[in-house]
Amino acid sequence: MAEITPPQGPEVAPETAAGRGRPRRQAGFGFIFGSALINAISFGIMIPILPNLIREMTGGDTAAASEWNVLFATTWGLMQLVFGPMLGMLSDRFGRRPVLLLSLFGLGVDFLFMAFAPTLWWLFVGRVLNGATAASFSTANAYLADVTPPERRAKVFGWMGSAFSFGFIIGPTLGGMLGEVDLRLPFMAAAALTFANWLYGLFILPESLPPGRRAKTYDWSRANPLGALKLLRSRPGLLGLAGVGFLFQISHMVLPTIFVLYTTYRYGWSPGVLGATFLLTGVLGVIVQMFLVGPVVARIGERNAVLLGAACGVLGFAWYGAASTGWLYLLGAPIFAGIGFMMPGLQGLMTRRVQPHEQGQLQGANQSLTGIASVTGPPLFGLVFAWSVRHDATLHAPGLAIYLAAGLLALAFALTLKVAHAPAAEPARA
C-alpha cells in the first residue's frame, strides 16, 4: 500500500498528525476499493436476477418485463445525469467522506427496495433513489486523486477498474446461486454487504480533503449538467478528454445491451457458456487493470496508455463483430481486455488539469456524461442490433452494432491524438 499513500507534509490531511496518517490512509484505500467492488457486485447480481424478478412481478409477461427494464435503466441514467454534478460539488465543498456515506446508504436502501418491494412501482422508487445518490465510484475517484501523487494516479485508477472486473466475476455467480433459492435473496445479501461497508466508513474512514483545500462556496450554477461543462471548458484540453471518455462510455454500452442476445442468436450459447465467458473476461480485466496498468503507464505514459486502450478496444470490437463461431469470439477476449488501459490513463490526465477543490466537480461532470451514455447507448445499440437481425438474410451483419462501437472508439483514438497532452504540472489552487 505504500505506493498509493500521499507524500508527507502540509498537503496531507490533518489525520496524518501524531503518527496516525499511514494506517488511516491505508484504511481509506481499503474502504474505497471495497465500495467500488460492492457497487460492481451489485450490478453483477442484477444481470441474471433483476430481469427475472421484474418478469415475475409482471405475471410472467416477458414483453412487459422488457419495457419496465428499459424504464428502470433510462431513469437510473437520467438520475446520474442530473445529480452527478450536485454530489461532485458537494464533495468539493464538504468533503468526500459524507458524500461517499450518503451514496452507500442510498445503494443499501435500493437493495432493500428490491428485496421487499411489493409492486413494480416500489421497485422503481428504489432505482430512482439509487440513481440520485449513486456517486460512490466518482467520489471515490476524487478521494484517490486527493491522496495520490499525480504520477501514480493511473495505477490506482487501474486498481479501481479491476474492482468492476472482480464484481462481474463474483456478482453473476453469487446472484445465480442465491437466486436459485429465492429471487429476493441476492438483494438481501447485497444490502447486508453495503450497510456493513457503510458502517465501516462511518466509524473508520478518514476524510481525504482537509478544510483548507475545499471549495469555499457551493456554486449552484455549476451543480447541473450544463454548469458542469463550464469546468470542462475552463482548462486546455479537458473538454476534449471528457469527449474521449464519453465515446468510451457509450461504446462500452454495446455488450451489456446485446451480449446475451447476440451470442445466443449467432453462436447458440447456453447460460453455462455465458457464465464461463463472464468469468473469462472478468479474469482478463483483473490481470490488465490490477497488474499491468501500473508498469505499462510508468513505461509509456498516460497518453500512450489511452491510445493503447482505445486501439485494443477497436480491434477487440471488430473481432467480436466478425467472429463467425463462438471459439473465434473467445480468442478475441485477450485483445479486447487491453481496453482496460484506457480509462486509468484518461483519468490520470484529467485529474492533473484541475485544482484539488475541483476534483469532485470533475468526477461529477464525468458521471453526468456516463448518465447520458447510459440513456442513449442501450436504445442505439439495441435498435441497430434488432435491425441487423431482421435483415440478416440480405445483409448478414449481426455484429453491426459491435462494429458501430468499434467506430466510436476509433473516433476516441483520433480525438486522443489531438487533445491528450500531459500538462507541465498540476494546477495550483488560486
Side-chain angles (χ1 to χ4, degrees):
M1 292 297 179
E3 292 186 321
I4 63 166
T5 56
Q8 300 295 324
E11 291 280 313
V12 180
E15 287 82 2
T16 60
R20 296 193 300 267
R22 184 180 178 86
R24 288 176 67 83
R25 287 196 302 272
Q26 289 179 334
F29 178 78
F31 174 87
I32 296 301
F33 186 85
S35 298
L37 181 60
I38 287 174
N39 259 353
I41 290 174
S42 71
F43 285 114
I45 283 175
M46 288 189 289
I47 289 173
I49 299 300
L50 184 58
N52 288 323
L53 177 61
I54 295 172
R55 182 165 55 188
E56 181 184 88
M57 296 178 74
T58 58
D61 187 333
T62 300
S66 178
E67 292 168 351
W68 276 96
N69 204 34
V70 170
L71 175 63
F72 283 6
T74 303
T75 301
W76 190 88
L78 287 173
M79 293 298 101
Q80 290 272 286
L81 172 64
V82 172
F83 286 93
M86 294 184 187
L87 293 173
M89 291 202 67
L90 279 173
S91 76
D92 285 336
R93 176 67 182 90
F94 300 106
R96 317 299 183 204
R97 183 176 178 272
V99 176
L100 279 168
L101 293 176
L102 173 66
S103 299
L104 282 172
F105 191 83
L107 180 61
V109 170
D110 179 38
F111 282 134
L112 291 179
F113 269 97
M114 286 189 279
F116 298 107
T119 67
L120 281 165
W121 284 110
W122 278 106
L123 202 62
F124 177 77
V125 170
R127 299 307 293 156
V128 169
L129 177 62
N130 177 253
T133 59
S136 57
F137 194 75
S138 60
T139 308
N141 281 338
Y143 189 110
L144 294 178
D146 292 337
V147 300
T148 309
E151 67 275 10
R152 296 178 181 169
R153 287 176 186 165
K155 180 177 182 178
V156 175
F157 290 139
W159 288 350
M160 288 292 286
S162 73
F164 272 92
S165 297
F166 273 122
F168 280 94
I169 294 171
I170 299 169
T173 303
L174 178 63
M177 291 173 57
L178 297 178
E180 289 291 328
V181 180
D182 188 292
L183 282 177
R184 308 276 186 149
L185 187 58
F187 302 117
M188 298 179 195
L193 285 172
T194 303
F195 282 121
N197 201 28
W198 178 79
L199 287 171
Y200 177 89
L202 183 65
F203 292 108
I204 297 178
L205 180 70
E207 176 56 61
S208 66
L209 188 65
R213 298 173 67 186
R214 295 177 190 173
K216 298 185 183 301
T217 60
Y218 186 86
D219 187 352
W220 284 100
S221 67
R222 293 175 180 261
N224 59 77
L226 294 178
L229 292 177
K230 294 180 181 178
L231 175 67
L232 299 179
R233 294 195 304 265
S234 67
R235 302 288 187 274
L238 189 57
L239 184 61
L241 292 174
V244 173
F246 176 72
L247 289 169
F248 167 86
Q249 293 289 355
I250 197 167
S251 67
H252 222 59
M253 291 289 166
V254 66
L255 293 181
T257 300
I258 71 166
F259 172 75
V260 173
L261 294 174
Y262 174 72
T263 54
T264 302
Y265 173 83
R266 194 167 191 184
Y267 311 127
W269 281 0
S270 66
V273 176
L274 291 170
T277 305
F278 276 119
L279 177 62
L280 171 65
T281 54
V283 169
L284 290 172
V286 168
I287 291 172
V288 169
Q289 294 161 330
M290 181 162 277
F291 300 108
L292 297 182
V293 166
V296 168
V297 171
R299 185 174 183 83
I300 68 175
E302 292 162 335
R303 178 179 185 267
N304 288 331
V306 177
L307 292 170
L308 174 61
C312 288
V314 171
L315 292 174
F317 275 139
W319 186 294
Y320 286 165
S324 58
T325 68
W327 283 111
L328 280 175
Y329 182 98
L330 292 175
L331 288 176
I335 299 173
F336 184 73
I339 199 173
F341 292 111
M342 189 172 177
M343 285 308 292
L346 186 63
Q347 286 277 11
L349 288 172
M350 295 182 77
T351 57
R352 288 174 181 266
R353 284 169 162 77
V354 300
Q355 299 172 4
H357 68 284
E358 296 173 321
Q359 294 291 346
Q361 187 181 349
L362 170 63
Q363 298 300 333
N366 286 337
Q367 191 168 339
S368 282
L369 295 177
T370 300
I372 296 174
S374 299
V375 172
T376 58
L380 172 65
F381 294 120
L383 291 175
V384 170
F385 175 69
W387 186 90
S388 66
V389 169
R390 287 196 182 100
H391 295 81
D392 193 30
T394 54
L395 183 65
H396 191 59
L400 185 60
I402 303 179
Y403 290 141
L404 175 59
L408 291 172
L409 269 186
L411 288 177
F413 183 94
L415 184 57
T416 300
L417 288 173
K418 181 178 180 180
V419 302
H421 300 284
E426 190 173 39
R429 181 169 182 174

